[in-house]
Amino acid sequence: MSYIENLLKIFISSAIINNIILIQFLGLCSYIGLTDSLPNSIGMSFAVIFVTVSSSILAWMIDNWILIPTGLQPALQITAFILVIGSFVGLVEMYIKKVSPNLYKAMGIYLPLIATNCIILGVTFVNSMNHYDFVESIASGFGIAFGYTIAMLLLAGIRERLRNSDIPEFFKGKPIAFMISGILSLVFLGFSGMIK
Amino acid sequence: MKKLKIIWNAIIPNNPVLIISIGLCSVIAVSNSVKSALLMTFAFSLVQIPSNIIVSALRKVTPNEIRVPIFVSVIAAFTTIAALISQAFFNPIYQVIKLYILLVVVNCIIIGRAEAFAYQNGIFDSFLDGVGNTIGYGLVLVTIAIVRELIGKGTLAGIQILPESYQPMLLMVLPPSGFIMIGLLTGTIETYLRKKGGKK
């Protein structure tokens, strides 16, 4: 199998088959919290794509150049990843605020939320557990962020419609969002087995 | 009495999972078997209680501007300990839910309690709050796990409970039912609280 084919396989499998939200259940806080409006979820998705890809790169460098050669990986991996990614996100936020106030309005307010989002850290752990190389890590990071975007837009679109519909008292608010996610998850389960 | 109130508050009226809807990731992901749920609760308690105590002990010397990185470092240290302990003693289950144990470090419940409670209160109160939140989290997790494993496999923690003739409903151990179960539970507890509020 060629290298490009392998990359494509990683991308599709992390975007659709192992969809980060609907099959792996990471990043549910922002998924339930921010999908009550479509613009919010679009802004959040772009911020997640950007941060996930850059932190995959950062984490790969920390893992392969510092932690594995020194043998500190089991003890320091968690601490190193979260501190580096947290401070990276902080830096990006300050930079965007200074350079482009418009972009900051669209994306910047979601950056602090991302710093402690399970997805960003989850991607780096997934990459490290599967021993992906540099380009594979980027493909997996981008794939996971793309899957996040799909799930966010799906639920946000459905919830916009739900606002005007008649829902039983029991399910009003969050419960209906969970039930819909369950059905969406069932749909994504149908993709399993697409890649052997 | 006031001390008991702290624990009670974290279990029902402010249940971190059902009412505030945080820390859902691990609840839905590991609730398909009772064993994983118990290990997850154990790992969670190993992080939640000590980090609450340490954050509370350091609150007078923690500068306000850099409090979040300090919370995160404390939590990361205890998560590493919890992951290594689980790996040493419960390795077969640990391998299945490894990702979710590592991700306790960004569990919103723990960071939320450090920020909202431990940073403002004394050491003993923070300890009680940690215990209460662990119970609140574990109760929801284990309850969902019991229902899902019983219906999905007919077993509890690997022991056959329902008769052999029972046809397992496979859907209950697959991902979608996690969402559906948590939706039903959230609806139930919200209805209960609404009714109780209405009577007053």
Side-chain angles (χ1 to χ4, degrees):
Chain A
M1 189 167 43
S2 72
Y3 192 68
I4 302 288
E5 208 176 313
N6 184 30
L7 286 186
L8 207 62
K9 198 176 117 181
I10 292 178
F11 177 78
I12 303 250
S13 110
S14 43
I16 295 178
I17 299 169
N18 288 317
N19 187 293
I20 189 89
I21 291 181
L22 295 170
I23 304 291
Q24 307 245 31
F25 312 115
L26 295 179
L28 290 178
C29 310
S30 61
Y31 175 65
I32 298 295
L34 284 174
T35 45
D36 34 5
S37 89
L38 200 54
N40 273 353
S41 52
I42 293 174
M44 181 72 181
S45 301
F46 276 114
V48 164
I49 291 181
F50 174 67
V51 177
T52 315
V53 174
S54 20
S55 61
S56 304
I57 298 173
L58 267 180
W60 187 87
M61 294 196 280
I62 299 169
D63 222 19
N64 286 279
W65 292 347
I66 303 174
L67 292 180
I68 293 178
T70 49
L72 286 172
Q73 200 195 17
L76 273 185
Q77 194 186 33
I78 300 176
T79 320
F81 279 8
I82 189 149
L83 287 182
V84 170
I85 291 169
S87 31
F88 170 73
V89 174
L91 270 180
V92 171
E93 193 197 344
M94 279 190 253
Y95 179 77
I96 294 180
K97 200 173 181 179
K98 189 94 186 166
V99 173
S100 155
N102 277 335
L103 185 63
Y104 181 76
K105 244 185 207 161
M107 193 168 127
I109 40 170
Y110 302 107
L111 284 173
L113 290 175
I114 290 179
T116 55
N117 192 315
C118 337
I119 290 185
I120 311 298
L121 211 61
V123 172
T124 61
F125 286 134
V126 167
N127 289 347
S128 156
M129 271 180 222
N130 291 328
H131 306 292
Y132 285 153
D133 70 17
F134 186 68
V135 186
E136 284 172 344
S137 300
I138 298 177
S140 134
F142 186 61
I144 287 180
F146 189 69
Y148 177 85
T149 311
I150 297 178
M152 285 292 271
L153 295 188
L154 273 176
L155 185 68
I158 297 174
R159 280 180 87 171
E160 294 251 301
R161 283 298 184 88
L162 279 178
R163 210 175 291 156
N164 302 323
S165 50
D166 187 24
I167 309 168
E169 187 71 22
F170 182 84
F171 287 117
K172 274 208 177 116
K174 282 177 220 146
I176 190 78
F178 287 119
M179 302 313 262
I180 290 169
S181 318
I183 296 168
L184 285 179
S185 168
L186 202 60
V187 174
F188 274 76
L189 202 63
F191 289 115
S192 67
M194 205 164 80
I195 289 182
K196 298 235 164 52
Chain B
M1 213 44 229
K2 211 173 147 255
K3 303 284 174 197
L4 275 180
K5 190 94 185 157
I6 295 177
I7 297 188
W8 174 248
N9 257 336
I11 298 178
I12 300 284
N14 281 317
N15 187 296
V17 181
L18 295 179
I19 304 298
I20 320 181
S21 291
I22 53 177
L24 288 168
C25 320
S26 51
V27 169
I28 296 186
V30 303
S31 63
N32 56 0
S33 95
V34 176
K35 275 184 187 165
S36 327
L38 288 175
L39 178 62
M40 189 69 210
T41 312
F42 171 71
F44 183 85
S45 71
L46 278 185
V47 182
Q48 169 75 77
I49 300 172
S51 68
N52 246 7
I53 295 174
I54 299 287
V55 166
S56 163
L58 292 177
R59 70 185 190 282
K60 299 235 166 72
V61 293
T62 310
N64 202 28
E65 295 80 21
I66 56 160
R67 64 183 193 285
V68 176
I70 291 181
F71 296 163
V72 171
S73 330
V74 172
I75 296 168
F78 285 111
T79 310
T80 311
I81 297 174
L84 292 177
I85 290 182
S86 320
Q87 190 172 13
F89 295 105
F90 309 99
N91 198 29
I93 317 171
Y94 172 75
Q95 290 305 333
V96 179
I97 59 168
K98 189 175 175 191
L99 183 58
Y100 302 99
I101 292 192
L102 293 179
L103 286 178
V104 170
V105 67
V106 279
N107 193 308
C108 323
I109 301 177
I110 297 177
I111 299 177
R113 291 328 287 175
E115 166 86 29
F117 196 94
Y119 192 56
Q120 275 124 28
N121 288 283
I123 294 179
F124 187 62
D125 284 0
S126 304
F127 165 74
L128 291 178
D129 183 69
V131 174
N133 274 288
T134 308
I135 299 175
Y137 172 86
L139 208 63
V140 177
L141 180 53
V142 175
T143 314
I144 298 180
I146 288 177
V147 175
R148 283 179 71 182
E149 197 182 328
L150 197 64
I151 303 180
K153 277 191 195 141
T155 59
L156 276 187
I159 304 158
Q160 188 79 28
I161 299 284
L162 295 177
E164 292 284 330
S165 56
Y166 172 71
Q167 184 78 40
M169 183 178 167
L170 190 63
L171 179 69
M172 289 306 276
V173 287
L174 291 177
S177 75
F179 281 114
I180 294 173
M181 282 296 300
I182 205 111
L184 290 177
L185 260 182
T186 313
T188 313
I189 200 155
E190 275 181 359
T191 312
Y192 166 75
L193 288 180
R194 224 180 355 238
K195 284 228 171 96
K196 212 176 143 209
K199 267 178 199 162
K200 265 175 198 171

